[in-house]
Amino acid sequence: MNGRHFLNLADAGGDAIAAMINDAQDRKAARRDWPKGRVDADAPLDGRVLAMVFEKNSTRTRVSFDIAIRQLGGSSLVLDAASTQLGRGESVADTARVLSRMADAIMIRTDDHGKIEEMARHATVPVINGLTDRSHPCQIVADLLTVVEQGKPLPGLEVAWLGDGNNVLHSIIEAAGLMKFNVRIGTPQGYDPEDAFVSEARERGARITLTRDPVEAVAGADVVVTDTWVSMGQEHVHNKLAAMAPFQVNEALMAHARPDARFLHCLPAHVGEEVSEDVFEGPQSVVFDEAENRIHAQKSVLLWCFGLLP
Ligand code: CP
Ligand code: NVA
């Protein structure tokens, strides 16, 4: 095996995530105002090829990894799973072994987290989780970078999550345990995150609070986060949107957070559902910094996978 897999944030651990955030800030500062396709001065991934496999739609993950590897001196290719043999039933194991012979790293976005674990078992190059139904670790490296850039240290940070207990929330909870911050989660009955993420983060010392009261979730928060109420691949469950409605992030709810609180959303957003237009477009929203930071964060993830960050 050449390099390291990044399936979950815990694969890297807290020290490596801190190193990723630092490196991302340094590289971002060093290329300010450069054309986006210009290679970083040290071209640390010169000649490396990243194969990206998509079994679900993507804008940010696809573009950010493509630009990230180019800025590091490498190149990428995209496999739309439906038009590959994977889409006709070739096994994940064989796909992993073939791609390992042809590319230097694999990024995959899929549904079942078990598939990405199987890919990692059979690949001999790094496998990166570009989102599964269970988690979205690459997104959260970008989110943490965004929060730190806003002058908010991670230890002791109070993060509020509103809405669905989904893949993005799972990775936030995992990050809380690793980076020592707290999460207050406001979800309707039936939409809690998986217990395993909550108990593991608590064991690592994070305070994770589950509530049905959106105001309790947001009160005094430094950062307020939400995501779509219906994730890719989910059925439109009857009454789900009605159950979610009290958890919409709007100005009335934001008024309970700290006055300097920031609003995050991984995007794509459904303005008028999980977030009101005034919050999404308002001064506390840093969602487009967060989106840009996918590039800088994904560069750090790639460098870590190749053993070029501690
Ligand atoms: N936030 C995110 O992962 O966006 P995409 O689905 O566009 O990749
Ligand atoms: N929870 C969302 C995130 C999209 C980036 C989904 O899985 O569709």
Side-chain angles (χ1 to χ4, degrees), residues 54 56-64 109 130-131 136 138-139 143 168 227 232 265-268 290-291 294 298:
F54 286 96
K56 287 181 173 181
N57 294 46
S58 170
T59 300
R60 279 143 291 267
T61 303
R62 176 174 172 164
V63 177
S64 63
R109 166 169 287 196
L131 179 145
H136 196 4
C138 292
Q139 176 70 50
D143 289 12
V168 174
D227 185 15
M232 290 181 279
H265 189 311
C266 66
L267 309 179
E290 183 185 1
R294 290 296 302 277
Q298 270 47 135

Short mmCIF file of all heavy atoms in Angstrom, two decimals, residues 54 56-64 109 130-131 136 138-139 143 168 227 232 265-268 290-291 294 298, ligand 1:
data_model
loop_
_atom_site.label_atom_id
_atom_site.label_comp_id
_atom_site.label_asym_id
_atom_site.label_seq_id
_atom_site.Cartn_x
_atom_site.Cartn_y
_atom_site.Cartn_z
N PHE A 54 -17.80 8.74 -9.38
CA PHE A 54 -19.04 9.32 -8.85
C PHE A 54 -20.23 8.42 -9.11
O PHE A 54 -20.57 8.15 -10.26
CB PHE A 54 -19.29 10.70 -9.48
CG PHE A 54 -18.37 11.75 -8.91
CD1 PHE A 54 -17.20 12.09 -9.56
CD2 PHE A 54 -18.67 12.38 -7.71
CE1 PHE A 54 -16.34 13.04 -9.03
CE2 PHE A 54 -17.82 13.32 -7.16
CZ PHE A 54 -16.65 13.66 -7.83
N LYS A 56 -22.97 9.41 -7.39
CA LYS A 56 -23.99 10.41 -7.09
C LYS A 56 -23.53 11.73 -7.70
O LYS A 56 -22.33 11.91 -7.96
CB LYS A 56 -24.10 10.61 -5.57
CG LYS A 56 -24.76 9.47 -4.81
CD LYS A 56 -24.82 9.83 -3.34
CE LYS A 56 -25.62 8.80 -2.57
NZ LYS A 56 -25.70 9.16 -1.14
N ASN A 57 -24.46 12.65 -7.84
CA ASN A 57 -24.14 13.97 -8.40
C ASN A 57 -23.14 14.72 -7.51
O ASN A 57 -23.06 14.47 -6.31
CB ASN A 57 -25.40 14.83 -8.48
CG ASN A 57 -26.40 14.27 -9.45
OD1 ASN A 57 -26.68 13.07 -9.45
ND2 ASN A 57 -26.94 15.11 -10.28
N SER A 58 -22.46 15.68 -8.12
CA SER A 58 -21.55 16.53 -7.35
C SER A 58 -21.15 17.75 -8.18
O SER A 58 -20.90 17.62 -9.38
CB SER A 58 -20.28 15.77 -6.97
OG SER A 58 -19.32 16.66 -6.44
N THR A 59 -21.07 18.89 -7.54
CA THR A 59 -20.43 20.06 -8.14
C THR A 59 -19.14 20.37 -7.38
O THR A 59 -18.04 20.32 -7.92
CB THR A 59 -21.37 21.29 -8.10
OG1 THR A 59 -22.54 20.96 -8.85
CG2 THR A 59 -20.70 22.53 -8.69
N ARG A 60 -19.27 20.68 -6.08
CA ARG A 60 -18.12 21.11 -5.28
C ARG A 60 -17.05 20.04 -5.13
O ARG A 60 -15.85 20.33 -5.26
CB ARG A 60 -18.57 21.56 -3.87
CG ARG A 60 -19.12 22.95 -3.81
CD ARG A 60 -20.27 23.02 -2.83
NE ARG A 60 -21.38 22.26 -3.38
CZ ARG A 60 -22.36 22.83 -4.11
NH1 ARG A 60 -22.39 24.11 -4.28
NH2 ARG A 60 -23.32 22.09 -4.64
N THR A 61 -17.44 18.82 -4.82
CA THR A 61 -16.45 17.78 -4.57
C THR A 61 -15.68 17.49 -5.85
O THR A 61 -14.45 17.38 -5.84
CB THR A 61 -17.16 16.52 -4.02
OG1 THR A 61 -17.87 16.93 -2.84
CG2 THR A 61 -16.17 15.43 -3.68
N ARG A 62 -16.40 17.42 -6.94
CA ARG A 62 -15.76 17.14 -8.23
C ARG A 62 -14.80 18.25 -8.63
O ARG A 62 -13.64 18.01 -8.96
CB ARG A 62 -16.85 16.96 -9.29
CG ARG A 62 -16.28 16.76 -10.66
CD ARG A 62 -17.35 16.45 -11.67
NE ARG A 62 -16.74 16.46 -12.99
CZ ARG A 62 -17.28 15.94 -14.07
NH1 ARG A 62 -18.45 15.35 -14.00
NH2 ARG A 62 -16.66 15.99 -15.22
N VAL A 63 -15.27 19.48 -8.58
CA VAL A 63 -14.43 20.59 -9.05
C VAL A 63 -13.28 20.85 -8.07
O VAL A 63 -12.15 21.08 -8.48
CB VAL A 63 -15.28 21.86 -9.27
CG1 VAL A 63 -14.40 23.04 -9.68
CG2 VAL A 63 -16.34 21.59 -10.33
N SER A 64 -13.57 20.77 -6.77
CA SER A 64 -12.50 21.10 -5.80
C SER A 64 -11.38 20.08 -5.86
O SER A 64 -10.20 20.45 -5.80
CB SER A 64 -13.06 21.24 -4.38
OG SER A 64 -13.61 20.03 -3.91
N ARG A 109 -17.34 8.85 -4.50
CA ARG A 109 -18.62 9.27 -3.88
C ARG A 109 -19.62 8.17 -4.19
O ARG A 109 -19.88 7.85 -5.36
CB ARG A 109 -19.08 10.60 -4.45
CG ARG A 109 -20.52 10.92 -4.10
CD ARG A 109 -20.92 12.33 -4.42
NE ARG A 109 -20.32 13.26 -3.48
CZ ARG A 109 -20.73 14.52 -3.31
NH1 ARG A 109 -21.73 15.00 -4.03
NH2 ARG A 109 -20.15 15.30 -2.41
N GLY A 130 -15.42 10.71 -0.76
CA GLY A 130 -15.99 11.96 -1.28
C GLY A 130 -17.46 12.09 -0.96
O GLY A 130 -18.16 12.86 -1.62
N LEU A 131 -17.94 11.38 0.02
CA LEU A 131 -19.31 11.35 0.57
C LEU A 131 -19.89 9.95 0.40
O LEU A 131 -19.80 9.35 -0.68
CB LEU A 131 -20.26 12.37 -0.09
CG LEU A 131 -21.73 12.41 0.39
CD1 LEU A 131 -22.27 13.85 0.36
CD2 LEU A 131 -22.63 11.51 -0.46
N HIS A 136 -19.17 12.48 5.47
CA HIS A 136 -18.64 13.40 4.45
C HIS A 136 -17.42 14.11 5.05
O HIS A 136 -17.42 15.33 5.25
CB HIS A 136 -19.74 14.40 4.06
CG HIS A 136 -19.47 15.14 2.78
ND1 HIS A 136 -18.38 14.91 1.97
CD2 HIS A 136 -20.18 16.14 2.17
CE1 HIS A 136 -18.43 15.71 0.92
NE2 HIS A 136 -19.50 16.47 1.02
N CYS A 138 -14.40 14.99 3.97
CA CYS A 138 -13.70 16.05 3.22
C CYS A 138 -14.38 17.39 3.41
O CYS A 138 -13.74 18.43 3.51
CB CYS A 138 -13.64 15.69 1.74
SG CYS A 138 -12.59 14.27 1.41
N GLN A 139 -15.72 17.38 3.45
CA GLN A 139 -16.48 18.60 3.68
C GLN A 139 -16.10 19.22 5.02
O GLN A 139 -15.96 20.45 5.15
CB GLN A 139 -17.98 18.28 3.66
CG GLN A 139 -18.87 19.46 3.99
CD GLN A 139 -18.86 20.49 2.87
OE1 GLN A 139 -19.06 20.14 1.72
NE2 GLN A 139 -18.63 21.74 3.20
N ASP A 143 -14.94 22.85 6.41
CA ASP A 143 -15.74 23.60 7.39
C ASP A 143 -14.87 24.06 8.56
O ASP A 143 -14.98 25.21 9.02
CB ASP A 143 -16.90 22.73 7.93
CG ASP A 143 -17.98 22.50 6.88
OD1 ASP A 143 -17.74 22.80 5.69
OD2 ASP A 143 -19.06 22.01 7.24
N VAL A 168 -23.43 14.55 6.86
CA VAL A 168 -22.62 15.72 7.19
C VAL A 168 -22.55 15.89 8.71
O VAL A 168 -21.47 16.12 9.28
CB VAL A 168 -23.17 16.97 6.48
CG1 VAL A 168 -22.42 18.22 6.92
CG2 VAL A 168 -23.08 16.81 4.97
N ASP A 227 -28.19 21.61 6.72
CA ASP A 227 -27.99 20.95 5.43
C ASP A 227 -29.39 20.62 4.90
O ASP A 227 -30.39 20.74 5.61
CB ASP A 227 -27.14 19.68 5.64
CG ASP A 227 -26.76 18.97 4.33
OD1 ASP A 227 -26.89 19.58 3.25
OD2 ASP A 227 -26.35 17.79 4.41
N MET A 232 -29.21 13.11 -0.96
CA MET A 232 -29.22 12.30 -2.19
C MET A 232 -29.47 10.83 -1.86
O MET A 232 -28.85 10.30 -0.93
CB MET A 232 -27.86 12.43 -2.89
CG MET A 232 -27.63 13.79 -3.50
SD MET A 232 -26.04 13.88 -4.34
CE MET A 232 -24.93 14.18 -2.97
N HIS A 265 -23.17 26.04 5.63
CA HIS A 265 -24.02 25.08 4.91
C HIS A 265 -23.13 24.48 3.83
O HIS A 265 -22.49 25.22 3.07
CB HIS A 265 -25.21 25.81 4.30
CG HIS A 265 -26.27 24.93 3.71
ND1 HIS A 265 -25.99 23.89 2.84
CD2 HIS A 265 -27.62 24.93 3.86
CE1 HIS A 265 -27.12 23.29 2.50
NE2 HIS A 265 -28.13 23.89 3.10
N CYS A 266 -23.07 23.16 3.74
CA CYS A 266 -22.14 22.53 2.78
C CYS A 266 -22.54 22.79 1.34
O CYS A 266 -21.71 22.68 0.45
CB CYS A 266 -22.06 21.03 3.06
SG CYS A 266 -23.60 20.14 2.76
N LEU A 267 -23.81 23.13 1.12
CA LEU A 267 -24.40 23.33 -0.21
C LEU A 267 -24.47 21.99 -0.95
O LEU A 267 -23.61 21.14 -0.71
CB LEU A 267 -23.65 24.37 -1.03
CG LEU A 267 -23.38 25.71 -0.36
CD1 LEU A 267 -22.59 26.64 -1.30
CD2 LEU A 267 -24.68 26.39 0.05
N PRO A 268 -25.40 21.75 -1.86
CA PRO A 268 -26.40 22.72 -2.33
C PRO A 268 -27.48 23.00 -1.28
O PRO A 268 -27.89 22.10 -0.55
CB PRO A 268 -26.99 22.03 -3.56
CG PRO A 268 -26.78 20.57 -3.35
CD PRO A 268 -25.51 20.45 -2.56
N GLU A 290 -16.77 28.82 2.60
CA GLU A 290 -16.77 27.39 2.91
C GLU A 290 -16.64 26.58 1.62
O GLU A 290 -15.86 25.62 1.55
CB GLU A 290 -18.09 27.08 3.63
CG GLU A 290 -18.29 25.67 4.10
CD GLU A 290 -19.70 25.48 4.69
OE1 GLU A 290 -20.51 26.43 4.70
OE2 GLU A 290 -19.99 24.35 5.12
N ALA A 291 -17.37 26.98 0.58
CA ALA A 291 -17.30 26.26 -0.70
C ALA A 291 -15.91 26.40 -1.31
O ALA A 291 -15.30 25.41 -1.74
CB ALA A 291 -18.36 26.79 -1.66
N ARG A 294 -13.20 24.18 0.08
CA ARG A 294 -13.11 22.77 -0.34
C ARG A 294 -11.80 22.54 -1.10
O ARG A 294 -11.14 21.52 -0.92
CB ARG A 294 -14.31 22.38 -1.22
CG ARG A 294 -15.65 22.31 -0.47
CD ARG A 294 -15.70 21.22 0.59
NE ARG A 294 -15.44 19.89 0.07
CZ ARG A 294 -16.34 19.10 -0.51
NH1 ARG A 294 -17.58 19.50 -0.63
NH2 ARG A 294 -16.00 17.89 -0.94
N GLN A 298 -9.09 20.11 0.43
CA GLN A 298 -8.87 18.86 -0.29
C GLN A 298 -7.40 18.68 -0.67
O GLN A 298 -6.89 17.57 -0.75
CB GLN A 298 -9.79 18.80 -1.51
CG GLN A 298 -11.13 18.17 -1.26
CD GLN A 298 -11.94 18.58 -0.05
OE1 GLN A 298 -13.13 18.81 -0.16
NE2 GLN A 298 -11.36 18.62 1.15
N1 CP B 1 -20.94 20.02 -0.47
C1 CP B 1 -20.75 19.12 -1.45
O1 CP B 1 -20.19 18.05 -1.25
O2 CP B 1 -21.22 19.53 -2.67
P1 CP B 1 -21.35 18.64 -3.98
O3 CP B 1 -22.46 17.66 -3.74
O4 CP B 1 -21.68 19.63 -5.05
O5 CP B 1 -20.04 17.92 -4.22
#
